[in-house]
Amino acid sequence: ALKWPIELIVPALDAFRLGLLDSTINKHFCDIKKADTVERLTTLLVCDPPVPVRILVCRSIANACNHEAGRQMLMSNLSEICEL
């Protein structure tokens, strides 16, 4: 769903950010060995999206921190995330 056209992504992104609060879903999407979640989220931020998309991306990043897999994913990409 993170690859959907920007005008259709808001509902999917909202569900995604809520899903990241679940430890199993978080582990699946935030596994730094196989997931490219940070890359997809940061791509959404740099494409100058509408404000609702920016808010949901930031909330997704924040929700990823709720579990260890998400924290590791964000720490491994900290400089890129802070730059954005």
Side-chain angles (χ1 to χ4, degrees), residues 58-76:
C58 291
R59 288 180 179 174
S60 296
I61 291 170
N63 287 357
C65 292
N66 281 321
H67 300 286
E68 185 61 31
R71 287 189 293 271
Q72 288 179 0
M73 175 190 72
L74 295 172
M75 288 302 293
S76 69

Side-chain angles (χ1 to χ4, degrees), residues 7 10 14 17 19 21 45 48 52 56 58 61 69-70 80 82-83:
E7 61 273 0
V10 170
D14 196 28
R17 69 147 180 115
L21 295 172
L45 282 178
D48 198 26
L56 291 173
C58 291
I61 291 170
E80 180 182 356
C82 289
E83 190 175 304

Side-chain angles (χ1 to χ4, degrees), residues 9-59:
I9 201 167
V10 170
L13 197 52
D14 196 28
F16 177 73
R17 69 147 180 115
L18 291 172
L20 288 174
L21 295 172
D22 177 77
S23 62
T24 303
I25 294 172
N26 186 290
K27 186 175 182 177
H28 174 77
F29 282 102
C30 297
D31 185 346
I32 58 176
K33 296 176 187 159
K34 61 183 176 184
D36 60 347
T37 302
V38 167
E39 180 182 316
R40 291 182 183 179
L41 289 173
T42 55
T43 299
L44 284 172
L45 282 178
V46 298
C47 75
D48 198 26
V51 172
V53 173
R54 287 183 202 182
I55 290 169
L56 291 173
V57 168
C58 291
R59 288 180 179 174

